[in-house]
Amino acid sequence: MTRHLITSALPYINGIKHLGNLVGSQLPADVYARFLRAKGDEVLFICATDEHGTPAELAAAKAGKDVADFCKDMWKIQSDIADGFGLSFDHFGRSSSPQNHALTQAFAAKLYENGLISEVDEEQVYSHTDGRYLPDRYVEGTCPNCAYENARGDQCENCTKQLDPTDLINPRSAISGSTELEVRATKHLYLKQSMMREKLQEWIDSKTDWPILTTSIAKKWLNDGDGLQDRSITRDLDWGVPVKRGDEPWPGMEGKVFYVWFDAPIEYIGATAEWAQANGKTDADWRSWWRNDEGAQNVRYTEFMAKDNIPFHTLSFPATIMGSEEPWKLVDYIKGFNWLLYEGGKFSTSQGRGVFMNQALELFPADYWRWWLISNAPEGSDSDFTWESFQGQVNKDLADVLGNFASRLTKFTRSKFGETLPDGGEDSELETKLREEVNARLVTLTKHLDAIELRKAASELRAIWALGNEYLQEAAPWSVFKTDPERAAAIVRMGFGLLDLYARISAPFIPHLSAQLAEVLNSNDTSWPSTLPHTPKAGTPFTVPENLVAKIDDETRDELIERFGGRD
């Protein structure tokens, strides 16, 4: 039995995420975790909310809440949404946890001890009205490049030009709106990533099995321009992990916190420690997943994330791990994803454009969304959500193929044989051929899931579903029953064998619908099959699932296009 550590990129705390965030990390990670568990592997699936940084403070202020209370409330909302989508996290933690505080400070102490942190004097905007330094996103003003009046101090949203706060024309505080600003000297800590360049290059080059998207982004950041740059790991904020050297104060760093992108990836480890505490386990239990000297050398660690997170997980976080010179586990495989677009454009909260996760659950069952998103996962390129495509795949794949097979089979069997499976004859050449086709496709499906090729896996799963309808159509038990009821009984029992198979192999993708299929035969076998199971025994009771999948009509589709198309 292999041990698998799986982490999904941490959703940010400042609001409810859209469907692109779901398919870019959490959902594919869940499909993979469910598949591995079904195979009998030991899996620890970890995620958490990313709670520090400027946007968290701004969102809390906008909501009129203390930032700690805001983050606590949003964690609960995001946790409930994750449950609604059937995301099977072993633990959903918080980057503001005491465990992450302690680990972040411990890593900083080791990096400083090893000469990989420097103290740098820099200039930063100070607001007299707010009585504080303003991090880049706390400064707004007119873009010097395109004259957009609401540009932020890190980037202009209108023309995408990278900026420094001091570049802005007529700068103002994003907190108070005050223009009483001045540039003052302040000191920050920098992680000397440039010193780790050769080690990182060698490590990335060794990952020959990584997706092209992952390695191409990592190498671009490693080698373009001046190469890997040293990076600030502190900010002048109130909310975050206080800057300390382990348990000791850090002279000159009073009142500062670690930068969110330094502490957030460390929360993967912190959340594992939270998992241990929440489940009555010991420190040795969580360390066995993360420390190579305590068992983690036998763990395969896989990370899931959208492409904008790849640089931090291929460079900054590994630099932290390597730079500590302690035997922490490095990631083995990073599955990166491109963007999910909405009707050809971007999702936008402010414009009311696109579907967000809470809205999705209010509209349709979670498995409708899970199926479409995995079938169209943006692996090789960006994907585009359209309501026509969503309607088409729900109606054709889930209703016409899977749902129709279950309905036809169970209703016919009940009408002719009652509430238990009939005793039938031997398999014919038709059943032998079916077994060969299903078994061959099962090998391919398993191969795709092992390789985390999710679109290919979904396509193969649908093809296996389609074999069931093709078999019923060719075998035609409703016609055979008139002259040879024993043969008809053999056909329906083979059909129920397929139904049992579908419940098991569909579970990683559509767990709620799969559970309904499993209830038909009251089956609790969730193991991953390598071949089509034997047909269920005669006399086995079964039920008829009602309204397994409701189709989406054109009127509903058109209303949704209008509702989520954005405000003019």
Side-chain angles (χ1 to χ4, degrees), residues 429-445:
E429 186 178 326
L430 189 59
E431 282 74 44
T432 300
K433 178 186 174 185
L434 175 65
R435 285 188 181 279
E436 290 174 353
E437 289 185 69
V438 170
N439 291 344
R441 287 196 173 277
L442 272 175
V443 170
T444 303
L445 172 61

Side-chain angles (χ1 to χ4, degrees), residues 210-232:
W210 280 10
I212 293 173
L213 177 66
T214 302
T215 52
S216 62
I217 292 175
K219 290 178 179 180
K220 177 180 175 64
W221 277 64
L222 195 61
N223 299 312
D224 274 13
D226 297 325
L228 189 63
Q229 299 294 302
D230 296 345
R231 187 176 185 87
S232 172

Side-chain angles (χ1 to χ4, degrees), residues 443-454 456-457 460:
V443 170
T444 303
L445 172 61
T446 303
K447 178 183 175 183
H448 288 326
L449 285 170
D450 275 324
I452 321 180
E453 296 177 327
L454 300 178
K456 291 180 180 179
E460 196 65 29

Side-chain angles (χ1 to χ4, degrees), residues 452-467:
I452 321 180
E453 296 177 327
L454 300 178
R455 290 181 71 149
K456 291 180 180 179
S459 178
E460 196 65 29
L461 177 60
R462 188 197 182 281
I464 296 173
W465 293 345
L467 288 175

